[in-house]
Amino acid sequence: KGAKPERISENVCSVRELVAEIRDPATRRSLSVLPYELQFREPSSDSCRAVSTFAKKTGDYSVLSATDLKLLSLVYQLQVESGPEGRKSIRTEPLSTVTKD
């Protein structure tokens, strides 16, 4: 919160559906004066499949919206595209958690 947009990255990607969900007039106005162009991308079907599979394993699938899944899929895809180091940081199985009674 409060981070200057130009310090976050030179390239910022999103899915169009996320921007379409923004209803707050102040937030919509702030999007129109960003110091860079927001790039819209579509995640691949492989990325969507990987994210959906993982979300089902964690039990999160039923509470994620279509837009949530699409954005997570794009993040996954960008991480894969970043190269071997990026791919190494992606989990294919959720961490197991232990809860105390």
Side-chain angles (χ1 to χ4, degrees):
K1 184 176 181 178
K4 296 197 179 292
E6 60 274 12
R7 291 188 178 177
I8 295 171
S9 178
E10 292 179 12
N11 300 305
V12 178
C13 298
S14 186
V15 294
R16 290 189 186 279
E17 292 83 350
L18 181 67
V19 174
E21 287 184 359
I22 298 171
R23 302 281 181 244
D24 176 56
T27 304
R28 280 194 143 320
R29 269 193 306 279
S30 68
L31 286 176
S32 66
V33 294
L34 289 173
Y36 47 77
E37 185 177 338
L38 192 56
Q39 299 172 28
F40 294 107
R41 292 195 45 193
E42 291 291 315
S44 68
S45 57
D46 287 342
S47 294
C48 293
R49 192 170 21 264
V51 167
S52 294
T53 299
F54 193 86
K56 288 173 184 174
K57 290 177 182 179
T58 63
D60 293 317
Y61 185 81
S62 64
V63 295
L64 293 169
S65 70
T67 300
D68 294 337
L69 288 165
K70 196 167 187 181
L71 183 61
L72 288 168
S73 298
L74 179 58
V75 171
Y76 172 91
Q77 180 172 314
L78 293 170
Q79 190 69 19
V80 168
E81 289 174 0
S82 71
E85 288 301 313
R87 283 191 289 280
K88 276 200 277 188
S89 67
I90 298 173
R91 288 191 183 102
T92 56
E93 294 295 325
L95 295 175
S96 59
T97 57
V98 178
T99 57
K100 294 182 181 182
D101 293 325

